[in-house]
Amino acid sequence: MLEKIRPRAEDRKRLKEAAGAILARIEGLSRERGHNFKALLVGSAARSTWLAGDHDLDIFIAVPDGSDLKDALALARLVAPVHQEKYAEHAYIHAIVDGFDVDLVPCYQVENASCLRSAVDRTPFHTQYISSRIAGLEDHVLLLKQFMKGVGVYGSELRTGGFSGYLSEILVLRYGSFLGVLEAASGWRPGETIDLEGRGAQAHNEPLVVVDPVDPYRNVAAALTLDKMFEFVAASRCYLARPELEMFFSMGEKPLTDQEIIGRMRERGSHMLLVEFKAPDVVEDVLFPQLRKAEESAHAMLDRHGFRALRSDVYRASGLAGMLFELEVAELPTVSKRVGPPAWEGEHLSRFLSAHIQKLSGPYMEGGHAVVEVRRKYTMARDLLDKEITSLALGKHIAVQIKAGYRIYYDIEILEVKDPEFRTFLAGYFKARQKLC
Amino acid sequence: MLEKIRPRAEDRKRLKEAAGAILARIEGLSRERGHNFKALLVGSAARSTWLAGDHDLDIFIAVPDGSDLKDALALARLVAPVHQEKYAEHAYIHAIVDGFDVDLVPCYQVENASCLRSAVDRTPFHTQYISSRIAGLEDHVLLLKQFMKGVGVYGSELRTGGFSGYLSEILVLRYGSFLGVLEAASGWRPGETIDLEGRGAQAHNEPLVVVDPVDPYRNVAAALTLDKMFEFVAASRCYLARPELEMFFSMGEKPLTDQEIIGRMRERGSHMLLVEFKAPDVVEDVLFPQLRKAEESAHAMLDRHGFRALRSDVYRASGLAGMLFELEVAELPTVSKRVGPPAWEGEHLSRFLSAHIQKLSGPYMEGGHAVVEVRRKYTMARDLLDKEITSLALGKHIAVQIKAGYRIYYDIEILEVKDPEFRTFLAGYFKARQKLC
């Protein structure tokens, strides 16, 4: 396993040279222009904990107090003349240099990690903390990261909500080895707390609390969701019970054919409702939280109207984005029960009754409440979604796109969506299989 | 109104004569046979609070300490040679005498109502209590009883769960008039307590608590259900807002024709599921609680399997009895979600996963629980009911009848049930209209 994931000596050499050249170039330019910027290699490349095949270089340009981040950005542009400008809390530069994906990130030089001026200022302290302690444990970090990738819990972006590289390194420091982490994780419960330096300074209510050794107020695992945490826990149990190499590799899905989709739908007998629209041009960390929010609003609305969803999911595929709802019930009877106030609240009752003169049955008393049976506004889930989607609480960018246009596919109509990325998503949706024990 | 419901002078005279003759006959026979039994006219006939058209005579044969109720029963058989024997807590005799429905009920002579030997021993005390106080208020009692009949809340049998005659009399004593009762009732809340003699000796948690003036441990309104109580409350408000004579008369329903049934079903769009079986040969006070119990069990089972019932009801018609369920959803997809234990309970999780090797999707993590999607055992409500009805908690007599045979009618098949009593029940079911304000 390690042979597969440990970078070869020549790769290490290439990375070291490429990074060295960029760092030298930055500091040279800084001197030329009279700045006192420091160039820092951070991230897994700096800690010797990157996986073979990764070609990421995170290089920070730290400006002293009184200097402007804009000057560091201008300098970065010169270092990599062909680049993209990206934006997190501040602007940074992404470029391909000598086959490496290089991020050039301006930050402030600060005394220690508790007097940050920007979120990225903490990163150099992380690198320093890990680099000075990880020696001899690098292989364990590589195994843990690859295992987390294999079981689908690696990556702290908002789309995944999983474990960050830094978090996996802290776990190895805490438990001493790859297997040590898995054994400990097997017994985790929600609220598990890890505090390497014993200086946790604040209560957190996330499912896993890992006090940042360089910032006692921060939970390193703040972005980890309950489900990703316990997918890791349950996968750890699987591996310990029966260590299999295939756990390190995620099961890739292939796009489903028309026949396969028809087969799955027939087997399940449920109803598929898909809303598709143009994906807004934003990064995943912006897009996915908004998609999830839209999904939740629509899911709740369907539920409120009696259309129970078995499951739902969101995707982005080839410039489009969408939400998929799998319904237990897609059609409901006309008659619908409306439960009024308790009968001892005379004024409320009387208002309720006057508001429901038009009725199919009732009023009658049930459990001390007056009840009427009226005509349901939407008997088809499809119509409900179509008519009410724009009135939902959608994220800002999603709302714009949906106002501009969307399309609904119902049941077998989803065969009209031919895009292989969508059909791969659909394959994963139907299988929904995780490595749990 | 009063002219309609107040017995005419000649009716009073006939009743007085008929009752007097029976009482004399009992006491004569008692003397002849060396007993010391007392004959007592009880109930509304004794209190001058019976409604015109009622022809009920309740006559008690009270035996002194040391005597046997069986001797009183033997004597009753002689008084009415053509009779039916009935059974409540003890046996009694029902007969038609001179056009009156006469109940001859053996009871014990007791000192006061708190040292009863049988539940019926209390009745003579009730009659004594009301008779000595009701003079001048009889018409108010008549109006209240007729109003309660008109709005469907009169009768304390278990089928109705409404107001007894004795309860209506106490209400008139408490509030002084028919309208006084309605005005007070308009403001009732659950837990309303009435204690004429101020000697309530026990806490009750029924919705209406009326301390029995002759037995401070007993709640006269114990059989009144929350719904019947508030049907009366809401009807009282209607009458006070707009006094209409028609409130005194219940809206009779006519049997529905095939076309009418089809019309109602089309209008509602719901699914009807009817189970019919031979009615056990027991009195309503035994039958209806058992029918309600069976209805609840079946309703809960349908719900548990995802078949939501909008409403359900039970009936007895022409020797048959049945339960009607109106379903929002009568058919569900094959796929069904099974939620396992929390993922941090390792042993439970592992048992859950081994028990669900056969699955359509999963396992996956949701809200910290492992979830699998499996094949549903019953996708049709009809099949579920048909296969599982005998395993339900049914009342004793219902269970016997259902084991002997039952028939299920689904949707339009209910047209096959031609019995006019059933179709009248169905008319009331669809309308489900009560007089509420």
Side-chain angles (χ1 to χ4, degrees), chain A residues 384-428:
Chain A
L384 168 65
L385 196 61
D386 197 13
K387 294 286 191 303
E388 303 287 349
I389 191 168
T390 52
S391 68
L392 287 174
L394 307 164
K396 192 175 92 182
H397 296 96
I398 306 284
V400 169
Q401 294 301 332
I402 284 187
K403 277 213 178 85
Y406 60 90
R407 184 154 169 207
I408 291 182
Y409 300 86
Y410 178 58
D411 272 353
I412 208 67
E413 294 168 6
I414 67 170
L415 292 180
E416 296 171 37
V417 186
K418 303 291 184 195
D419 179 69
E421 281 191 58
F422 169 72
R423 293 196 165 201
T424 304
F425 156 78
L426 206 54

Side-chain angles (χ1 to χ4, degrees), chain B residues 106-142:
Chain B
C107 73
Y108 294 100
Q109 292 169 24
V110 291
E111 280 283 316
N112 62 63
S114 57
C115 48
L116 309 177
R117 294 181 59 190
S118 152
V120 292
D121 303 348
R122 202 184 278 115
T123 308
F125 293 95
H126 290 166
T127 296
Q128 204 179 345
Y129 185 87
I130 298 295
S131 301
S132 61
R133 288 163 177 82
I134 205 72
L137 295 171
E138 293 92 339
D139 284 351
H140 293 277
V141 173
L142 295 182

Side-chain angles (χ1 to χ4, degrees), chain A residues 119-131:
Chain A
V120 293
D121 304 348
R122 202 185 278 116
T123 309
F125 293 95
H126 290 167
T127 295
Q128 203 179 344
Y129 184 87
I130 298 296
S131 300

